[in-house]
Amino acid sequence: MQIVVLPGDGIGPEITTATSGVLRAASERFQLNLRLEQHAVGHASLKLSGTTVRPELLDIVRAADGLILGPTATFDFKDEAHGEINPSRHFRKNLDLYANVRPARTYAGRPGRVGDFDLVVVRENTEGFYADRNMEQGSGEMLVTPDVAISLRRITRACCERIAHAACRLAMKRRKHLTIVHKANVLKIGDGMFLDICRAVAKAYPGLAVDDILVDAMMAHVVRSPERFDVIVSTNMFGDILSDLTAELSGSLGLGGSLNVGDRYAMAQAAHGSAPDIAGQDVANPVSLILSTALLLAWHGERSGAVRYEEAARAIEAAVAKALGEGRATRDVGGRLGTIAAGAAIAEILQAE
C-alpha cells in the first residue's frame, strides 16, 4: 500500500513522525508492505516552492493508495494567487472527498466528560456554508459594501443523497441507528431538502432506525446523553462543529479520528488544527492522527478485499485504547509522555500483541 504523507504545519511534523512509527509497526506485524512517501505542504512548501500545494502533488496522491495530511495553518492561507492554497480544501475538493467520517468514543481508564459512549458523525464535506468549496469559480462569500457581507450556502440533491447513503451503510454495520441533524425549521428549503432526502434514502436500508433532531437541540442532547446515539449525519458546518464537540466529550479533541472519503480516494486527517503555540515542544497528542490512519487502513482493506488491513486497523485502535488505559499518553489525556514517546508506546503495544 502506497501512502503519501504530508506533515503540514505547527505540530504536524511531530504527530506525523509518531504516526509513521505506529504504521511501520503495523506494517511489520500484519505484512502490509506499507510504503510512506513524504512531501512538503503548507508553510514548508510555500518556502521551498512558492506555493502551499505544488501542482504535481495532486497527481502523486491520485496514483497512491491513500493520503495522510497533517494539520496545516489554514487560517494563514488567504491568497491563492500568491500560492496560499488551503491544503485541506484542495484535496477534499479535487479528490471529491464528500464524506468526513469522525468517530468519537470513550476509553476504559480514561472516562469521558459525560459518561461512556461510542458514536460516529458523518459530515457532508463538499458544499454547505463552506464558501471556499461550494462554487465552480470564485468564492461563495462577497463583500457588497464595506459594511455588508454575504455568504452563500449550496445544498444539492446529489450531495445529500450520497452522504445519506454513506451514513446509512455505516449505521447498518454498527447498531442500525441513524440520527439526522438539521435546522429545517429555519432553513426550510436547504435543510428541508437535506432532511427529506436523508429520510427517503434511509428507507432503502431494512431494519435501520431513523430519527432527526434540530442542531441546536442536538448540542444539548449529545452533552446530556451521548450514549443514545450511534451514527449521526449532518451538513458540512453543523457536522464540523458537532464532531469537534463529541471528540472533546470523549476526553479530548486529540482523541478524535477523521477520515475524508470519496468513491475513489481517502485522506486521513487529524480532527484538530496545527496548534503553533505548542509546536516543537514534544507535547502534542498524536492519537487523533494515529486513529485517522487506522481508518485509512480499514478503508483500503474493505475496498481491496485485503482483510489484513482491516485487522491492522482494529489492532491500532486496540493499542491506542490500551495505551490510554495505562496512562502511556500525553499530558492532555492524563499521561506523562511526550509526542514521540506516546507514539512509540502505541507501536510497542502493537508489536507485543
Side-chain angles (χ1 to χ4, degrees):
M1 182 182 182
Q2 182 79 14
I3 302 177
V4 174
V5 180
L6 309 176
D9 303 308
I11 61 173
E14 297 167 78
I15 65 171
T16 301
T17 296
T19 298
S20 297
V22 173
L23 284 176
R24 284 191 289 270
S27 183
E28 181 178 339
R29 176 179 165 186
F30 292 93
Q31 299 182 333
L32 304 181
N33 190 29
L34 297 182
R35 302 178 303 281
L36 307 182
E37 177 185 343
Q38 185 166 306
H39 295 270
V41 76
H43 279 297
S45 178
L46 188 62
K47 184 177 180 180
L48 289 171
S49 309
T51 178
T52 55
V53 183
R54 303 191 328 272
E56 64 269 24
L57 199 51
L58 190 60
D59 287 335
I60 292 172
V61 170
R62 284 175 172 149
D65 298 304
L67 169 62
I68 297 173
L69 177 63
T72 56
T74 56
F75 195 72
D76 293 350
F77 308 139
K78 297 180 172 66
D79 189 353
E80 291 199 5
H82 289 85
E84 297 177 357
I85 298 166
N86 177 339
S88 178
R89 181 210 62 82
H90 180 78
F91 291 111
R92 288 178 178 180
K93 184 171 183 176
N94 288 290
L95 299 177
D96 198 21
L97 305 178
Y98 59 83
N100 186 200
V101 180
R102 292 191 175 185
R105 54 160 290 195
T106 50
Y107 295 90
R110 185 62 199 167
R113 304 181 189 279
V114 289
D116 294 336
F117 65 91
D118 180 355
L119 57 80
V120 183
V121 176
V122 180
R123 162 198 175 197
E124 202 291 318
N125 216 18
T126 58
E127 55 178 18
F129 272 123
Y130 283 70
D132 63 346
R133 67 204 63 174
N134 63 15
M135 303 287 282
E136 181 64 25
Q137 289 185 339
S139 171
E141 275 197 316
M142 60 199 79
L143 192 63
V144 180
T145 75
D147 302 311
V148 178
I150 294 177
S151 299
L152 301 178
R153 182 176 76 145
R154 186 188 73 187
I155 299 291
T156 63
R157 180 170 299 275
C159 288
C160 292
E161 287 178 344
R162 64 184 185 177
I163 197 64
H165 278 295
C168 289
R169 288 193 297 266
L170 180 58
M172 293 298 288
K173 296 177 184 177
R174 288 173 51 92
R175 302 194 301 274
K176 296 186 177 182
H177 178 201
L178 178 71
T179 301
I180 307 164
V181 173
H182 61 93
K183 193 62 176 172
N185 62 327
V186 174
L187 301 169
K188 296 181 184 296
I189 299 175
D191 270 35
M193 183 168 70
F194 176 79
L195 175 59
D196 289 345
I197 290 172
C198 286
R199 284 173 172 166
V201 167
K203 290 179 181 179
Y205 295 83
L208 180 63
V210 181
D211 55 16
D212 68 272
I213 302 179
L214 295 173
V215 64
D216 46 338
M218 183 63 177
M219 298 301 169
H221 285 297
V222 82
V223 170
R224 183 186 306 126
S225 52
E227 73 284 351
R228 65 179 276 200
F229 300 106
D230 180 21
V231 173
I232 301 164
V233 64
S234 194
T235 53
N236 202 338
M237 183 174 288
F238 294 160
D240 193 7
I241 296 168
L242 182 59
S243 58
D244 277 7
L245 173 61
T246 54
E248 185 64 27
L249 292 176
S250 77
S252 169
L253 187 57
L255 299 179
S258 175
L259 187 69
N260 302 273
V261 186
D263 292 332
R264 296 181 59 190
Y265 306 103
M267 175 175 74
Q269 181 181 25
H272 55 73
S274 61
D277 56 319
I278 59 170
Q281 300 178 33
D282 193 40
V283 297
N285 187 348
V287 166
S288 179
L289 191 59
I290 291 169
L291 289 176
S292 301
T293 59
L295 294 171
L296 180 64
L297 294 181
W299 170 83
H300 179 72
E302 182 177 2
R303 184 169 178 263
S304 65
V307 177
R308 65 187 185 277
Y309 290 96
E310 296 180 83
E311 293 173 342
R314 289 192 292 269
I316 291 172
E317 291 169 353
V320 166
K322 186 172 184 180
L324 291 171
E326 295 175 352
R328 300 171 69 183
T330 48
R331 294 180 184 274
D332 63 306
V333 287
R336 297 183 178 180
L337 301 181
T339 306
I340 303 304
I346 294 168
E348 180 184 327
I349 293 169
L350 191 60
Q351 290 174 314
E353 293 295 323

